[in-house]
Amino acid sequence: MDWVTFVWASMAATCLTLALVQFLVWYRDRAAQASLWFAVAAVAVAAIAAGELRLMRSATPAEFGLVQRWTHVPVGVALVALAWFVHQYLGTGRRWLLWTLTAGRGLVLGLNFASPTSVNFQAVTELRGYPLLGQLVSVPVGEPSPWAGVAAASSVLVAVFVTDAAVAAWRRASGRDRERAVLLGAAVVAAILLPTANGLLVHLGFWSAPYFIAVAFMAVVLAMAYELSRDLLQVASLARDLRTSQARLDLAGRAANVGLFTWDVGADRLWATAEGQRLLGLAGPGPFALGDVLATIDAQDRPGFEALLGDVRAGGGDFSCQYRVAGAGAGTVTFWRGVRGQAERGPGGGVQLVRGVVLDITERRRAECEREALREELVHAGRVTMLGQLVATLTHDLSQPLGAIRRNAEAAGLLLGAPATDPGELREIVADIRRDGARAAAVVTRLRALMLRRPMQAREIDVTALVAEVMALLQSEADRRRVRLEAVVPAGLPALRGDPVHLQQVLVNLVMNAFDALEGRADRRVTVAVGEQGGEVELAVLDTGPGVPDWLAERVFEPFFTTRPDGMGMGLAICRTLVDAHGGRIRVDRSVDGGAAIRVVLPVAMPS
Amino acid sequence: MSAAPAVYVVDDDPGSRRATGHLLRAAGFGVHLHDGGAALLAALPADAAGCVVMDLDMPGMDGLAVQAALAEAGQRMPVVFLTGRGDIPSSVRAMRAGAEDFLEKTASPDLLLAAVRRALARDAEARAGRAGQAAARARLARLSAREQEVLAQLVQGVRNKQIAGALGIGERTVKLHRSAITAKLQVRSLAELLDLVRLADAPPPGAFPKGN
């Protein structure tokens, strides 16, 4: 075999090998479009090398012309594919220029096939021998085509595009990426301009030489190969870094009791760090699926967890939840886990991957529970203290119906002993006893609800009924203190969500405070006014007392703040705690009469 | 007018008022129900007889205020107070102001009936006393001015001779006046005469029997 054949065949083989590698890269990762374009360009260069070899071996001018005509196909493909490759690889370049050069090259191909011989020659008149690598190869002499300039201009347009894209990439990038832009840009521009100039000189008859297009393109292919090798090296070093950072992550996770996990939604494959496996209750070597975690969740929390998962899969985004670990049985410690994560969408738009952390929040939950119990105790103590202040009135409200029942029963006894008794009178007495019994029972029920100590229970609350209950409880206290107590409740109020006992406690407390503020004043009025605005309900307690000075408006809600010598100063602090727990606000300002106005604003219940 | 003694029940709480009414009616009293002091004062005849059973804690005019208004209007019926609170300061004031009795609302109905009977008895007694006094005063009013002067000295235990000296008249004239007094007042002895004068001069019974 001669050297020319060897060198050109080797170039073609190299190009095909690299094309195969890049094609496989694209095949595995469809997002790597640069690899596809490179593979196309490399195949085209291999075809050019084959074409050039045939040209150099041509025996007649006619044969040369025919081969040249067809070699324009891979040349065009190579130029356009390179431009697209540069565009994808560097992520720069003007799109309109790219489409222009693509169309331009199409035009050149059209002209090529429209010409008698090729876009380069009208006709190849003779072949000359040219010494290359110890052999004589054929080089053309002929009549230049009028379109030869168009072909050259189209190639120059590709070079312009690449130069522009490389400069843009160089400007934007830094360090290693700048180097890459320069290397690639220079190699591509040189690979285009040098054979173009050479070809133009040959076609115009200034010069006699083979084309060397494949040789020039080899520079690009090799530059790419060099880049590729660097990428491979980088991948290896990244893998090493990844292992190190994985080890660090594990260490940090263990130290902070944080576990990391990733869940491949499509394959239902769950990966977790060592700590993550421990916290998620994953035993054994794996691989794990989501079901393994679900099995460790306490039955009370599992439906909630599954509902959350459904939301995450449907909606993506961030999520967080807490759950109890299915326990060994009653009497053992309940372990709590907190999960916080993020769902990532795949190219198809669906959630593909869920990443997150899992924490042991048992201690935190226990502290929260204790705090909650203390708060509950305080709130209850506040309620009992408040009822203590109402003892005289509550006694009155109970003794009224009880006394009536005793007198009615005695009257009935007397009537039954009498000779002539009117049954109508007896019926009336019995009806009265029933009514008074119900009245006493209502007082006791109201009292018991307030006396009981129980955790907050949220449910829908009818504001009108709530205010009516408070009025029923406090009306005779108002009478005793000679205060005019009124409620202004508009019709059609939306429901609130919360614990009615707690909201009653707030209102009773506020009204009692208002009573205290009226002590010794001539005009004694308290109004409970309800209003609705923008998804919120305002419960205002207004009095005709001296009012709260502005500089005390915030302080009155602090614990132990009191103006009474016998006061504990917990009433309003508890009110604020309760209002906060209902997602509301409480504040003090002035009523129209110059007295105090305490306003409690609560969010309206969401219609379920 | 019915023969049954009248009891005026004043209570703002309808249940309580009706129950008290049922009880008193069943015990044979003539019951009048009122929901407040104003209604009672408007309904009472002048110098009404009977007694009042009244709630102490009423909105507007409370029991003590109604009691004062009754006295102002010349109504001298005894008042039995009922209270659902039983707080000491008001009960003390009520008793000071001459309440006949002071009962818890939950008190045994027997206690209430006993208190009402006592109050009615006292009213009857006071009324009888007031009638006797009026009669005594009418008898004394029949004496002439001179006879009244002589009587005033006599009641103080002054002798005839000294009375004659003090009034500047003869002892015989004093004796004549004395027999005229005895005849006009229809008394048989000095002791009887003294009783009559004491009855007429005593403060009117019934209104404030315990206050002094």
Side-chain angles (χ1 to χ4, degrees):
Chain A
M1 191 165 46
D2 58 76
W3 280 107
V4 171
T5 309
F6 175 74
V7 169
W8 259 255
S10 299
M11 287 195 297
T14 309
C15 285
L16 286 175
T17 308
L18 286 168
L20 182 66
V21 169
Q22 294 289 353
F23 178 78
L24 287 176
V25 168
W26 171 79
Y27 184 75
R28 286 275 182 89
D29 177 10
R30 294 295 163 98
Q33 288 202 20
S35 296
L36 178 65
W37 287 115
F38 183 82
V40 172
V43 169
V45 173
I48 293 170
E52 276 182 7
L53 197 57
R54 279 292 307 278
L55 288 175
M56 290 189 283
R57 291 264 177 269
S58 290
T60 63
E63 185 191 355
F64 190 99
L66 187 68
V67 172
Q68 186 178 46
R69 192 181 170 97
W70 283 102
T71 307
H72 266 288
V73 176
V75 168
V77 171
L79 280 170
V80 170
L82 263 181
W84 280 91
F85 162 72
V86 168
H87 174 64
Q88 296 284 349
Y89 189 73
L90 296 180
T92 53
R94 290 164 216 268
R95 282 219 143 215
W96 65 269
L97 203 53
L98 191 56
W99 284 110
T100 308
L101 70 87
T102 306
R105 206 57 214 182
L107 176 70
V108 169
L109 267 185
L111 291 172
N112 177 55
F113 284 104
S115 300
T117 306
S118 74
V119 77
N120 307 116
F121 289 111
Q122 279 293 89
V124 181
T125 46
E126 71 175 282
L127 295 177
R128 289 191 189 149
Y130 184 89
L132 184 67
L133 299 172
Q135 284 197 316
L136 278 181
V137 297
S138 304
V139 295
V141 176
E143 200 181 317
S145 159
W147 307 113
V150 175
S154 130
S155 301
V156 170
L157 194 59
V158 176
V160 167
F161 169 80
V162 171
T163 310
D164 173 56
V167 168
W170 185 81
R171 283 220 182 104
R172 203 189 50 196
S174 62
R176 174 78 189 89
D177 285 339
R178 282 191 151 191
E179 208 178 289
R180 162 182 307 199
V182 172
L183 181 69
L184 189 70
V188 173
V189 169
I192 292 167
L193 289 185
L194 289 177
T196 302
N198 178 44
L200 206 55
L201 291 172
V202 170
H203 302 143
L204 297 176
F206 290 107
W207 177 294
S208 225
Y211 288 121
F212 298 124
I213 298 173
V215 178
F217 273 112
M218 273 308 287
V220 178
V221 169
L222 290 176
M224 260 321 291
Y226 174 68
E227 281 299 319
L228 195 70
S229 72
R230 288 182 73 143
D231 284 350
L232 282 173
L233 281 175
Q234 208 183 353
V235 166
S237 114
L238 278 177
R240 217 167 29 243
D241 287 354
L242 201 62
R243 270 196 298 276
T244 315
S245 82
Q246 176 77 56
R248 279 194 205 124
L249 211 58
D250 263 353
L251 199 66
R254 239 195 324 272
N257 290 320
V258 175
L260 282 86
F261 67 87
T262 1
W263 178 42
D264 183 334
V265 178
D268 190 14
R269 193 57 70 78
L270 187 68
W271 169 91
T273 56
E275 186 68 4
Q277 287 179 23
R278 189 182 74 74
L279 290 172
L280 290 171
L282 303 171
F288 306 107
L290 189 71
D292 299 330
V293 175
L294 285 177
T296 69
I297 297 176
D298 190 275
Q300 297 173 72
D301 295 331
R302 204 174 303 156
F305 190 88
E306 280 171 345
L308 178 78
L309 268 181
D311 289 351
V312 168
R313 288 173 84 151
D318 292 351
F319 68 92
S320 74
C321 70
Q322 303 185 343
Y323 68 85
R324 274 162 284 192
V325 176
T332 54
V333 183
T334 308
F335 289 102
W336 282 87
R337 299 286 181 261
V339 175
R340 192 180 287 275
Q342 196 175 35
E344 289 173 20
R345 292 171 182 283
V351 169
Q352 221 168 37
L353 198 69
V354 175
R355 256 186 248 282
V357 293
V358 53
L359 293 101
D360 186 347
I361 54 165
T362 307
E363 273 307 312
R364 200 172 78 199
R365 286 297 303 216
R366 190 152 49 216
E368 273 170 17
C369 282
E370 270 167 28
R371 205 162 54 229
E372 183 57 28
L374 275 177
R375 198 186 70 96
E376 230 174 83
E377 209 165 299
L378 178 70
V379 166
H380 179 247
R383 211 154 59 220
V384 171
T385 309
M386 185 179 84
L387 289 174
Q389 287 159 4
L390 281 170
V391 160
T393 286
L394 291 168
T395 313
H396 173 258
D397 287 356
L398 263 182
S399 58
Q400 202 86 277
L402 282 181
I405 289 169
R406 285 195 85 169
R407 274 169 275 145
N408 273 321
E410 184 72 16
L414 287 173
L415 287 175
L416 289 171
T421 297
D422 174 16
E425 172 106 5
L426 267 180
R427 260 199 291 280
E428 207 177 296
I429 287 174
V430 171
D432 278 359
I433 288 179
R434 281 212 187 99
R435 202 165 28 236
D436 284 321
R439 194 147 66 109
V443 175
V444 171
T445 306
R446 201 173 294 137
L447 249 185
R448 190 177 46 210
L450 288 169
M451 289 298 281
L452 275 182
R453 190 187 146 189
R454 53 170 192 54
M456 179 168 156
Q457 291 165 0
R459 58 186 173 87
E460 290 220 336
I461 303 173
D462 174 4
V463 185
T464 310
L466 176 82
V467 173
E469 271 291 285
V470 171
M471 289 288 147
L473 186 71
L474 291 176
Q475 191 55 60
S476 54
E477 177 72 9
D479 292 346
R480 188 175 75 88
R481 295 181 181 232
R482 318 239 143 234
V483 173
R484 216 168 88 205
L485 175 63
E486 279 179 342
V488 181
V489 186
L493 284 171
L496 296 176
R497 190 160 176 79
D499 189 319
V501 171
H502 285 178
L503 291 185
Q504 246 187 67
Q505 181 176 358
V506 170
L507 279 183
V508 170
N509 219 312
L510 296 181
V511 174
M512 294 278 286
N513 281 351
F515 285 169
D516 287 343
L518 296 174
E519 210 75 60
R521 290 181 79 86
D523 181 16
R524 291 196 294 269
R525 281 177 293 134
V526 174
T527 309
V528 177
V530 186
E532 183 207 352
Q533 200 181 27
E536 288 179 324
V537 167
E538 183 188 85
L539 301 155
V541 176
L542 315 160
D543 66 44
T544 52
V548 178
D550 290 343
W551 61 277
L552 277 180
E554 265 307 303
R555 281 197 59 205
V556 292
F557 295 107
E558 287 171 12
F560 307 114
F561 177 87
T562 182
T563 53
R564 287 200 313 265
D566 59 336
M568 266 269 285
M570 290 308 288
L572 283 178
I574 292 173
C575 283
R576 168 169 275 187
T577 307
L578 291 176
V579 171
D580 282 351
H582 282 78
R585 308 184 297 280
I586 185 168
R587 68 190 166 82
V588 156
D589 62 18
R590 267 184 194 280
S591 72
V592 280
D593 302 305
I598 316 263
R599 299 178 193 280
V600 175
V601 180
L602 295 164
V604 166
M606 294 288 143
S608 50
Chain B
M1 253 191 90
S2 78
V7 181
Y8 297 90
V9 176
V10 187
D11 196 329
D12 66 299
D13 182 72
S16 191
R17 183 170 68 235
R18 288 157 59 86
T20 312
H22 286 139
L23 174 66
L24 295 174
R25 236 190 324 273
F29 299 108
V31 179
H32 306 268
L33 301 181
H34 300 286
D35 64 0
L40 171 73
L41 287 164
L44 280 182
D47 192 21
C51 76
V52 177
V53 174
M54 182 153 60
D55 184 13
L56 185 62
D57 335 287
M58 290 184 291
M61 206 183 204
D62 74 0
L64 293 177
V66 177
Q67 189 185 25
L70 282 172
E72 188 93 351
Q75 300 286 2
R76 284 174 287 197
M77 282 185 287
V79 179
V80 174
F81 278 119
L82 293 177
T83 176
R85 302 186 205 273
D87 54 331
I88 293 164
S90 356
S91 53
V92 168
R93 269 189 294 153
M95 299 312 272
R96 278 244 173 92
E100 170 61 35
D101 231 321
F102 194 91
L103 293 171
E104 300 258 349
K105 276 221 168 149
T106 47
S108 156
D110 288 342
L111 285 179
L112 177 61
L113 288 177
V116 166
R117 284 196 189 99
R118 247 191 332 268
L120 287 172
R122 184 180 294 282
D123 184 57
E125 194 184 307
R127 226 158 246 296
R130 283 200 297 277
Q133 184 176 44
R137 282 184 182 167
R139 279 157 77 187
L140 288 174
R142 275 186 244 140
L143 300 181
S144 69
R146 180 58 84 185
E147 283 163 356
Q148 288 194 9
E149 280 172 8
V150 173
L151 179 62
Q153 299 281 334
L154 271 178
V155 191
Q156 285 167 35
V158 184
R159 286 162 177 260
N160 288 352
K161 201 173 171 180
Q162 280 138 338
I163 295 173
L167 297 178
I169 51 174
E171 200 177 339
R172 243 190 94 79
T173 317
V174 173
K175 278 186 181 167
L176 278 174
H177 279 310
R178 269 189 75 161
S179 51
I181 290 168
T182 318
K184 274 188 182 174
L185 299 180
Q186 295 169 318
V187 288
R188 272 161 302 201
S189 64
L190 184 60
E192 221 174 294
L193 177 66
L194 285 177
D195 279 347
L196 182 69
V197 172
R198 207 175 294 134
L199 178 63
D201 285 352
F208 305 106
K210 294 175 183 173
N212 310 323

